[in-house]
Amino acid sequence: MSKPILDDDGVEVVAGSTIVFSFGIPGRRVVAPVIDRDGELIVLTPDHKPKECKLRLLRKYVGEFWIEQ
């Protein structure tokens, strides 16, 4: 079993969560659903490039992210 992935408030992200992050200068806000595909959490970002990202790699590219409340 893989290690749980936590948002920047320490809340566990699971399939069905919606996360929020920003990227770029000026910052562009992204609200993205999280799905499970073959046991891997995937963030869907269809209006951006790339169209999706593995959640475990997202922090490397955008820094911080949170579950949308």
Side-chain angles (χ1 to χ4, degrees):
M1 182 175 197
S2 62
K3 182 178 174 183
I5 298 173
L6 306 178
D7 75 358
D8 283 85
D9 287 332
V11 178
E12 185 175 358
V13 180
V14 297
S17 297
T18 299
I19 62 169
V20 178
F21 59 91
S22 65
F23 70 94
I25 299 173
R28 185 168 180 186
R29 185 174 191 263
V30 178
V31 178
V34 178
I35 64 166
D36 182 301
R37 183 182 297 143
D38 300 324
E40 179 105 52
L41 293 176
I42 305 292
V43 179
L44 300 178
T45 54
D47 296 332
H48 307 280
K49 288 184 180 178
K51 303 288 182 194
E52 61 184 43
C53 178
K54 293 179 180 178
L55 180 61
R56 65 183 172 81
L57 300 176
L58 184 65
R59 194 169 271 120
K60 174 181 174 181
Y61 300 113
V62 302
E64 304 169 326
F65 63 87
W66 298 269
I67 290 181
E68 184 178 49
Q69 298 293 330

